[in-house]
Amino acid sequence: MTTHPHAAAISVPSPARSATPLSTRPEIRTHTEVPDVPDPVIECEDLSVYYGDFKAVTDVSLAFGHNEITALIGPSGCGKSTLLRCLNRMNDLVDSARVEGSVRYWGQDMYAPDADAIEVRRRIGMVYQKPNPFPKSIYDNIAYGPRVTGMKVDSMDDHVEQALRDAALWDEVKDKLKQNAYGLSGGQQQRLCIARTIAVSPDVILMDEPCSALDPVATLRIEELMLQLRADYTIVIVTHNMQQAARVADRTAFFTAGVNEITGDRTGVLVEYDKTSRIFGNPANSRTEDYISGRFG
Amino acid sequence: MTSTVAAARKGASRTLTSTGGVRSMWGKLRSLGFLVFLWISLLVALITLVVLILDTIRTGATRLDTRLFTEYPSSRPAEAGARPAIIGSAWVIGATAALAIPLGVAAAVHLEEFANRHSKVNRYVEVLVQNLAAIPSIIYGMLALSTLALMGVSNKNIVIGGALALALLILPVIIISTREALRAVPREMRQGSLALGATDVQTVWRTTLPAAIPGIATGTILALSRALGEAAPLLLLGGLVFISFDPNGLLSGFTTMPIQIFGWTGNPQAEFHELAAAASIVLLVILLAMNGLAIAIRNRYQRRW
Ligand SMILES: Nc1ncnc2c1ncn2[C@@H]1O[C@H](COP(=O)(O)OP(=O)(O)O)[C@@H](O)[C@H]1O
Ligand SMILES: [Mg+2]
């Protein structure tokens, strides 16, 4: 397994809040290969999300580039998870949730009347904050997706092996495929969840704070994995950890919550979306600057 | 500064103890009294139970032999046994399980996983199911009786008739415990399945239900053990106490252990009372084993996630 050049950054404790803005600024990876305009796999246009009468996110227009890692950052409650769940229609499961505007996947409207949420989720997978393996064997966890989606695979054993290899987990579990996934460590469980998602050959992988329940070493492994997966998948990651966004993301979107003066609702808005190097190096908006330098949020 | 604060605290603590003393003593006495009351209640219940069991064992021990399991009822107590009752109980409980488990689990899955929680009809159904669990068992016997009558069945003392009554009796219990088991499955698990592109139905079959099986098994075994001990609804169906053949099918006539015990107890001869006690011991052991199994399953699979 190769370590990426910025692996060392993780062992450096994050600087204290009181330090000068410049020193708290996360180390930036140079993304020379990132094009100026993303080649969009998923595109949101004027997307607003409501929970009942409460508007959680308003007017987000955002394009997620092909084979890029996009990070969504911002303070708690600004609607990052809500937005992420809209990208594969997992928000349909919340009874009160309602979406306005459009989300397009390769140009097709995901929320069109004839669009099938099941089909959407087969192409756009999701990894959660807390690892959520099934209480089954490691093998069955991986085989679950291909089985339910009726994927044609020549050999399920090979397919499972490949998914585990792609998720950098094979060497650790190859001798205990029949054991319950609950016996794995948290970091291994999270990589298992990534492997499980990869096994249905999605196009896009959404990750909602995938490392927030993990220790730094496990976090580093997931970050390395994301950088490897970028060659084949489009990744969108919500993270609380700005260093993490700076280390892995090609582009970063910064959200914040605006307070409605009449209702007092805190509604998420997109403040700035740009290449990660720009967001962390030379943000256009002063609120972004304040957030990434630790002066607010 | 320190001294004034300390003095104030000292004064305060003194007033606390002096006024609180009486009250707290009263309070202590009252809670002690309540505790004693609880202990006595528990003791009375326990003693009654132990005396009952000991008495049953003492009375029944002499007849707890192989004849009890191999012989048919007879007017001569020395030759009588509970063989058809034991076989009949097995048939009736087997048929009850076959009727009640699929229906109950399916109803619970519908209510918990698919039904719209906010619809009025479903809320009524919920309340109804809760209330059904509290209805006396004899009512279910009447229901089974009239159902069989409507279907034109003249001989109502048949295995399937008894199973119908007992299945209706335990259906609410199975529905409620299955719903609880389903509710205990974390939402993240369902989401994990749905996010892989599984349908609702696939998610229920492959993830939610398997994860809930220990809880469902526990509730179902307890419900079946209740059915096993029931006599009233079966008596209503004309449960016989004098059967000289092995029940061998759903349409076969039958008797069960509680009915047999009931029949023997009503007999004036003391030897029959011994037989009843011996059969009670067998029934008790089976019930204890079933409850033990339920507890074992619950402990074994407690919250694996
Ligand atoms: N299922 C839900 N039902 C109602 N409100 C929700 C739900 N999920 C999130 N919210 C609300 O939407 C807002 C955004 O939440 P979320 O998307 O979780 O933010 P973030 O992930 O940025 O912390 C919050 O005010 C939250 O209370
Ligand atoms: Mg969140």
Side-chain angles (χ1 to χ4, degrees):
Chain A
M1 153 142 243
T2 54
T3 16
H4 76 87
H6 303 276
I10 197 139
S11 59
V12 179
S14 59
R17 273 282 173 82
S18 56
T20 59
L22 251 182
S23 70
T24 54
R25 199 165 265 169
E27 191 184 320
I28 301 158
R29 208 163 59 93
T30 42
H31 301 264
T32 45
E33 72 279 23
V34 183
D36 285 338
V37 180
D39 168 22
V41 177
I42 301 179
E43 227 175 338
C44 306
E45 206 176 303
D46 298 327
L47 180 69
S48 297
V49 190
Y50 296 82
Y51 292 111
D53 293 331
F54 167 63
K55 196 175 195 178
V57 173
T58 189
D59 292 315
V60 172
S61 297
L62 198 57
F64 300 95
H66 190 217
N67 291 14
E68 285 181 8
I69 300 178
T70 307
L72 310 181
I73 62 169
S76 270
C78 69
K80 306 178 296 294
S81 300
T82 298
L83 175 65
L84 198 71
R85 285 196 298 264
C86 288
L87 301 183
N88 72 342
R89 293 192 56 175
M90 284 301 281
N91 237 16
D92 290 15
L93 304 180
V94 180
D95 284 342
S96 63
R98 187 162 54 82
V99 168
E100 273 175 12
S102 74
V103 185
R104 286 191 299 275
Y105 168 75
W106 291 118
Q108 307 160 64
D109 186 358
M110 262 186 214
Y111 287 89
D114 60 345
D116 182 8
I118 307 290
E119 285 301 321
V120 169
R121 294 179 199 140
R122 286 180 186 180
R123 290 175 174 74
I124 306 171
M126 191 155 203
V127 175
Y128 291 85
Q129 180 168 358
K130 195 167 149 273
N132 61 345
F134 302 121
K136 301 175 189 290
S137 72
I138 292 168
Y139 185 98
D140 286 340
N141 263 276
I142 307 293
Y144 189 95
R147 282 175 184 154
V148 297
T149 56
M151 246 172 101
K152 300 259 181 303
V153 292
D154 290 337
S155 149
M156 188 58 88
D157 291 357
D158 293 345
H159 191 75
V160 168
E161 175 174 344
Q162 194 54 49
L164 285 168
R165 281 189 190 283
D166 289 350
L169 191 59
W170 174 252
D171 290 332
E172 290 158 66
V173 301
K174 61 174 182 245
D175 299 324
K176 47 180 180 180
L177 292 175
K178 296 287 165 214
Q179 285 176 25
N180 196 295
Y182 281 65
L184 298 175
S185 73
Q188 288 174 326
Q189 287 188 11
Q190 196 61 303
R191 275 179 283 143
L192 181 72
C193 291
I194 294 174
R196 180 176 83 178
T197 306
I198 291 173
V200 293
S201 306
D203 217 3
V204 183
I205 304 174
L206 309 174
M207 302 185 178
D208 193 349
E209 301 190 30
C211 304
S212 62
L214 307 181
D215 63 64
V217 176
T219 300
L220 173 61
R221 302 211 60 179
I222 303 267
E223 288 182 9
E224 283 172 349
L225 177 59
M226 283 193 272
L227 291 168
Q228 284 170 18
L229 293 175
R230 188 176 52 162
D232 301 308
Y233 305 91
T234 298
I235 298 175
V236 183
I237 173 179
V238 170
T239 177
H240 247 94
N241 179 335
M242 281 181 283
Q243 276 82 7
Q244 181 169 66
R247 281 192 299 266
V248 302
D250 298 302
R251 285 177 218 277
T252 300
F254 170 61
F255 291 83
T256 190
V259 181
N260 182 319
E261 307 217 327
I262 303 157
T263 59
D265 286 351
R266 290 169 52 81
T267 300
V269 286
L270 175 62
V271 176
E272 189 171 354
Y273 176 47
D274 214 323
K275 290 182 190 177
T276 300
S277 53
R278 188 81 58 77
I279 293 283
F280 287 102
N282 180 24
N285 192 300
S286 63
R287 284 186 289 176
T288 315
E289 171 86 44
D290 288 350
Y291 185 75
I292 59 149
S293 58
R295 260 183 266 147
F296 121 91
Chain B
M1 176 74 188
T2 327
S3 60
T4 38
V5 171
R9 202 192 303 130
K10 216 167 165 187
S13 76
R14 206 180 305 133
T15 40
L16 254 183
T17 39
S18 59
T19 60
V22 180
R23 218 185 316 144
S24 78
M25 207 141 83
W26 211 176
K28 263 183 208 151
L29 262 177
R30 267 181 38 172
S31 52
L32 197 74
F34 188 58
L35 208 66
V36 169
F37 171 72
L38 288 182
W39 276 107
I40 290 175
S41 309
L42 183 65
L43 220 64
V44 168
L46 264 180
I47 289 174
T48 316
L49 192 66
V50 169
V51 167
L52 250 166
I53 291 177
L54 284 182
D55 185 55
T56 308
I57 291 175
R58 199 176 46 81
T59 319
T62 48
R63 276 310 315 265
L64 199 57
D65 49 25
T66 48
R67 273 176 305 161
L68 186 67
F69 299 93
T70 56
E71 295 301 318
Y72 295 91
S74 156
S75 52
R76 279 168 304 215
E79 288 167 19
R83 176 189 166 120
I86 292 171
I87 296 174
S89 270
W91 267 103
V92 172
I93 289 303
T96 302
L99 283 176
I101 295 174
L103 245 149
V105 171
V109 165
H110 172 73
L111 288 172
E112 200 57 34
E113 305 289 326
F114 295 105
N116 174 8
R117 243 164 258 273
H118 305 294
S119 102
K120 261 217 172 83
V121 179
N122 285 318
R123 287 224 296 278
Y124 285 134
V125 169
E126 277 209 56
V127 175
L128 212 65
V129 171
Q130 302 274 354
N131 285 327
L132 281 179
I135 285 181
S137 59
I138 197 144
I139 306 289
Y140 290 104
M142 289 166 69
L143 194 62
L145 193 68
S146 50
T147 307
L148 289 176
L150 275 177
M151 286 163 61
V153 181
S154 53
N155 177 16
K156 298 184 185 65
N157 182 45
I158 49 177
V159 166
I160 189 71
L164 191 65
L166 294 180
L168 287 171
L169 171 72
I170 64 170
L171 200 57
V173 182
I174 291 185
I175 293 176
I176 291 169
S177 60
T178 302
R179 289 189 68 177
E180 264 159 29
L182 289 171
R183 219 172 299 151
V185 176
R187 203 154 34 119
E188 290 79 25
M189 210 117 86
R190 296 179 179 80
Q191 288 176 342
S193 170
L194 293 168
L196 289 171
T199 62
D200 289 347
V201 176
Q202 286 172 328
T203 300
V204 166
W205 272 117
R206 292 169 184 253
T207 300
T208 321
L209 259 185
I213 277 179
I216 296 174
T218 306
T220 304
I221 292 171
L222 290 178
L224 286 175
S225 76
R226 175 177 174 199
L228 187 62
E230 277 292 342
L234 302 182
L235 284 169
L236 204 70
L237 288 173
L240 303 172
V241 291
F242 205 91
I243 279 190
S244 51
F245 57 88
D246 292 339
N248 60 358
L250 293 179
L251 297 177
S252 155
F254 74 101
T255 187
T256 65
M257 298 185 66
I259 298 177
Q260 188 72 69
I261 292 166
F262 173 77
W264 276 334
T265 316
N267 223 300
Q269 287 157 274
E271 290 96 326
F272 280 115
H273 295 173
E274 286 169 19
L275 264 172
S280 296
I281 295 170
V282 175
L283 189 58
L284 214 62
V285 168
I286 296 174
L287 290 178
L288 277 177
M290 286 174 80
N291 288 12
L293 181 66
I295 292 169
I297 291 176
R298 198 192 58 198
N299 291 348
R300 167 85 173 72
Y301 291 99
Q302 217 164 28
R303 250 187 257 276
R304 288 224 316 281
W305 42 82

